[in-house]
Amino acid sequence: MRILVVGKGGREHALVRALAESPGQPEVFCFPGSAAIFQLAKPVAADGLESLIEWMKANAIDLCVAGEESYLVKGEGLANLCQRHGIPCWGPPKESAQLEASKEFAKEFLIRNGIPTARATATGSFEEALAAIAGEYPTVLKFDGLAAGKGVAVCPDETSAIAFLDEVFTQRRFGPGRVLVEQCLTGPEVSVFAAIVDEQYLVFTPARDYKRALDGDLGPNTGGMGAVASRRLVSQEMLDQIEREIVRPTVAGLRKEGLPYRGFLYFGLMLTPGGPQIIEYNCRFGDPECQAVMPLVRGDLAAFCLAGAMGELRRDLISFDDGWSVCVILASAGYPEASRSGDLITGLGHTGDFRVYHAGTRKNADGDWETHGGRVLAVVCGGVTRQEAVAKAQAAADLIQFDGSQRRRDIGILNFD
Ligand code: AMP
Ligand code: GLY
């Protein structure tokens, strides 16, 4: 089997490794990829979506796996193009990927399908947004488009709301677009992933990510400073409720509304005192949750994704380990406000009972690894207990060094009793 993975970050490194380690030993390719990914996958000679499709056809690719969301909604859409050219694709077409690309579309879908979610008003100007907030703080403001994880602001007061609305409507930091004014929910967050194949689905091991830069959930929002995954992250009762009230109605809603879906769907949930509610959909796996979840997957992920892309949900092909998995992100100096590149990384030669996925690295002229971006590496470790996984992941992270390295010490600790 020949598989092409689209993306270049830590999530794609984890996906590529899980696919490459599948028992059928598929040949894996990656676009655009990274130096670290190219140790497991071959590079692709393409410079855009159209040439990527031509390349897939010329190279007899059996399966295209969408790692990152942007290609799903670019141009005609990755999955739409694949379908037109007869290439099975694990990832939804453009019309369905609006669930992630447009917060307003997602909110209307949720309401139409009676799925629990925060109350919200769509607004098209600074004044309209302020009127919708109506002095009720805290409030949550969401830019209605892809904003690389930067489009949401939880605003405790009017000053912070005005600052965000100014970025959106005056500075147009994210380009043109509207703002959703949303009720602020409270409770622990959990990321639930389902593999969806038309009217069927399989729920993967749930996870939780840590978005703030500093311990204690302090500091600015980031792309994610770590994650913890386990079947035991939430009770079986809660998992059943999530399936009943959120996953199943979503899959039914997609069918009813004629939105085709084959791929991973990410449910960002808040477990409020009144039950689980959706705060976002993403049409892909989470980053860094993927890095924590993939080491728990057993069986043949490659065959599972191929069967899924061809319309068959093969539950028998994969299973999930029972323990805990903890992912600690090592970020570069200055992240998230800025990021420094070019710092030499040492300690990557260590091997042990852990995995290291590269998010932002490159090889320097001497052939050594150096930093290349904000989030640099993900160190992932499993354990029978959460405490064991936490201790092992932090000990493994100690082995890897670079100037200005930052990481959180409370991944898998904070937000547990
Ligand atoms: P997102 O970019 O949609 O993942 O949102 C980023 C973060 O904002 C989430 O992980 C939550 O912590 C927070 N958030 C989003 N929506 C709400 C909400 N309605 N109430 C409280 N917090 C929220
Ligand atoms: N971990 C959050 C995300 O992938 O969007």
Side-chain angles (χ1 to χ4, degrees):
M1 192 199 309
R2 291 158 71 84
I3 306 176
L4 172 88
V5 175
V6 178
K8 63 180 186 314
R11 168 184 48 214
E12 286 75 22
H13 196 191
L15 273 176
V16 161
R17 180 157 168 190
L19 292 166
E21 286 175 353
S22 293
Q25 295 184 317
E27 200 174 347
V28 184
F29 299 81
C30 190
F31 171 83
S34 70
I37 289 175
F38 294 144
Q39 293 186 324
L40 298 168
K42 297 190 179 81
V44 170
D47 59 7
L49 217 45
E50 297 286 345
S51 65
L52 185 61
I53 297 288
E54 288 311 315
W55 184 92
M56 282 194 260
K57 279 164 59 185
N59 288 273
I61 290 297
D62 300 297
L63 170 68
C64 174
V65 174
E68 151 184 347
E69 65 276 16
S70 65
Y71 298 92
L72 296 172
V73 292
K74 218 172 252 174
E76 197 178 317
L78 176 66
N80 308 65
L81 276 167
C82 281
Q83 192 188 7
R84 185 143 67 79
H85 293 277
I87 305 163
C89 181
W90 187 242
K94 189 172 181 172
E95 57 275 26
S96 308
Q98 294 307 314
L99 279 186
E100 170 166 7
S102 166
K103 307 253 184 216
E104 210 172 315
F105 178 91
K107 188 62 75 178
E108 286 166 3
F109 174 89
L110 287 162
I111 293 167
R112 274 197 305 274
N113 290 286
I115 301 166
T117 186
R119 258 187 299 110
T121 311
T123 66
S125 70
F126 193 103
E127 294 71 27
E128 242 180 79
L130 264 192
I133 297 169
E136 249 184 71
Y137 295 97
T139 188
V140 181
L141 303 179
K142 299 187 169 181
F143 175 71
D144 185 40
L146 293 181
K150 311 250 161 55
V152 174
V154 180
C155 302
D157 50 35
E158 191 175 69
T159 311
S160 52
I162 286 178
F164 182 80
L165 294 175
D166 195 53
E167 279 186 62
V168 174
F169 289 120
T170 317
Q171 299 166 32
R172 292 282 178 204
R173 178 171 170 207
F174 310 115
R178 292 153 63 83
V179 164
L180 219 58
V181 175
E182 192 167 284
Q183 167 199 15
C184 190
L185 302 174
T186 54
E189 286 182 46
V190 57
S191 308
V192 167
F193 304 96
I196 297 186
V197 180
D198 307 331
E199 74 287 354
Q200 300 191 71
Y201 64 86
L202 174 68
V203 175
F204 275 46
T205 308
R208 171 171 297 146
D209 66 347
Y210 292 75
K211 292 193 173 74
R212 298 295 185 125
L214 305 174
D215 279 0
D217 273 347
L218 299 174
N221 259 320
T222 71
M225 291 299 287
V228 53
S230 171
R231 193 74 186 163
R232 281 174 277 157
L233 191 69
V234 290
S235 68
Q236 189 56 48
E237 196 186 5
M238 176 55 76
L239 215 51
D240 291 344
Q241 191 180 355
I242 290 170
E243 221 178 298
R244 201 171 54 241
E245 295 179 4
I246 291 179
V247 180
R248 219 174 286 155
T250 297
V251 175
L254 288 167
R255 295 296 284 172
K256 201 165 62 202
E257 301 195 7
L259 295 168
Y261 210 108
R262 291 177 185 171
F264 293 121
L265 181 58
Y266 167 149
F267 302 80
L269 306 178
M270 201 164 260
L271 309 182
T272 76
Q277 299 214 23
I278 285 222
I279 53 178
E280 63 168 343
Y281 286 117
N282 291 310
C283 297
R284 48 162 177 86
F285 226 96
D287 187 335
E289 292 97 321
C290 188
Q291 294 89 312
V293 172
M294 282 304 142
L296 296 172
V297 178
R298 294 282 161 271
D300 197 330
L301 184 69
F304 176 85
C305 294
L306 177 63
M310 296 177 77
E312 201 185 346
L313 183 74
R314 288 281 308 273
R315 293 170 208 278
D316 56 306
L317 287 175
I318 57 171
S319 61
F320 305 97
D321 267 5
D322 215 20
W324 290 79
S325 176
V326 166
C327 163
V328 175
I329 296 287
L330 308 187
S332 68
Y335 182 72
E337 284 80 12
S339 65
R340 198 166 78 196
S341 289
D343 291 305
L344 184 70
I345 305 168
T346 59
L348 283 172
H350 289 286
T351 53
D353 188 14
F354 59 87
R355 292 166 190 237
V356 179
Y357 300 117
H358 291 231
T361 67
R362 66 184 173 205
K363 287 254 175 118
N364 65 17
D366 299 328
D368 295 318
W369 291 108
E370 62 179 31
T371 62
H372 183 50
R375 290 186 299 160
V376 178
L377 296 162
V379 180
V380 184
C381 228
V384 174
T385 63
R386 181 166 53 80
Q387 291 80 357
E388 182 193 349
V390 167
K392 282 163 69 181
Q394 291 290 348
D398 283 338
L399 301 171
I400 300 169
Q401 267 122 28
F402 54 87
D403 268 0
S405 171
Q406 336 173 31
R407 71 182 205 248
R408 281 181 62 161
R409 308 279 170 166
D410 61 355
I411 306 298
I413 299 173
L414 189 76
N415 300 326
F416 287 91
D417 316 323

